[in-house]
Amino acid sequence: MADATLTWSLDDAVCRIVLSRPEKGNALSGAAVRDLDRAFDAALTQGARLVVFEGAGRHFCTGFDLSDLDSESDGDLLLRFVTIEGFLRKVFDAPVVTVALGRGSVFGAGADLFAACDHRIAVETPRFAFPGSGFGLVLGTARLASRIGRDRARSILLRGEVIDSARAQAIGLVTEQIAEEGIDAALADLVREAKRLDPQTVAALRGATKVGDADAELADLCRSAARDGLKARIVAYRAHVLASARQKTA
């Protein structure tokens, strides 16, 4: 099945949701986030036991699509960030096993989606970055800390580091690294494991090992995004990134 921004299929309890905007690096527009949410809900309703997120083309996801930034208000941007946070928390707390196949650039909201999944697989040698703090946004911070530890998460976010796949695996962000041709075998193993427990048991296990408070994390996000000048901060951050890129290629 296909939506405007993604394709998804369900076969033998495995749902594969593929972001399908390769010309945009699979960046997440508002429509893409809504499509992801609907596809994930449909997968759960139709009996998926393993949900796989991946991106078409070279990249998993390069973050938010801000190509329409000029027409967005601070309120529009706040709503977009709140919507993605709701979706990410749904993935993190899902009563099924989740997998992210990270290729190429896994940046911004794409890195947050990667971190929200149970199995975080690096395909070949992707790179990871969480740049939201560069424009004052606190999104997915607690989930990242739950994966790699508080101090390490703070350090990465404060420095705005880009992390290669080897280091990502060493710190626990990546759970496994495979070659492209190993994907089908890896997923076959994971679906056997996923079918071992019913969704009610998975949900109970998540509840018993719960990390973070969804309401508190949403409040942190809203406080960071509601500061005056959200759009201006994003514009300034984007200009800084472009200037830095030009200096490197000069």
Side-chain angles (χ1 to χ4, degrees):
M1 297 183 185
D3 289 303
T5 64
L6 57 83
T7 63
W8 69 278
S9 60
L10 180 63
D11 181 45
D12 190 27
V14 179
C15 178
R16 295 183 73 158
I17 299 175
V18 184
L19 294 168
S20 299
R21 305 179 77 215
E23 74 286 356
K24 295 275 191 178
N26 297 316
L28 296 178
S29 62
V33 175
R34 291 190 294 272
D35 289 344
L36 274 171
D37 193 56
R38 284 194 291 264
F40 191 63
D41 283 347
L44 299 185
T45 300
Q46 296 182 30
R49 305 290 288 278
L50 185 77
V51 178
V52 182
F53 295 98
E54 55 190 306
R58 295 174 53 206
H59 303 295
F60 177 69
C61 175
T62 53
F64 282 107
D65 180 0
L66 296 172
S67 59
D68 58 351
L69 185 60
D70 289 345
S71 63
E72 298 280 282
S73 68
D74 282 1
D76 295 330
L77 293 166
L78 172 59
L79 178 59
R80 190 184 297 193
F81 295 139
V82 168
T83 302
I84 188 66
E85 170 59 26
F87 169 69
L88 293 171
R89 190 72 205 197
K90 183 185 292 187
V91 172
F92 191 62
D93 291 338
V96 297
V97 177
T98 54
V99 180
L101 298 177
R103 298 179 181 86
S105 294
V106 186
F107 287 0
D112 291 316
L113 174 56
F114 187 88
C117 292
D118 298 311
H119 297 275
R120 302 175 298 280
I121 299 175
V123 181
E124 306 295 349
T125 55
R127 301 184 307 149
F128 304 85
F130 299 83
S133 56
F135 48 90
L137 194 70
V138 176
L139 173 63
T141 306
R143 284 187 296 274
L144 179 63
S146 75
R147 300 304 192 200
I148 67 174
R150 183 193 65 188
D151 291 348
R152 190 172 283 123
R154 284 180 176 176
S155 175
I156 288 169
L157 295 172
L158 287 169
R159 295 177 179 178
E161 294 180 64
V162 177
I163 308 162
D164 65 28
S165 57
R167 183 168 178 234
Q169 186 168 18
I171 65 178
L173 178 59
V174 164
T175 56
E176 183 180 359
Q177 187 159 344
I178 61 175
E180 192 76 37
E181 58 270 21
I183 290 175
D184 288 344
L187 293 182
D189 289 341
L190 291 176
V191 74
R192 283 192 290 271
E193 295 175 13
K195 288 180 176 180
R196 191 177 72 85
L197 302 177
D198 59 60
Q200 292 81 4
T201 302
V202 174
L205 287 172
R206 293 207 193 281
T209 58
K210 188 173 182 178
V211 175
D213 182 303
D215 291 338
E217 290 170 25
L218 181 59
D220 288 340
L221 167 63
C222 289
R223 276 192 294 269
S224 69
R227 286 170 44 207
D228 286 344
L230 173 60
K231 180 176 176 178
R233 294 197 302 275
I234 296 174
V235 170
Y237 173 79
R238 191 163 63 172
H240 171 73
V241 170
L242 291 173
S244 297
R246 282 195 294 268
Q247 287 178 354
K248 289 179 180 178
T249 57

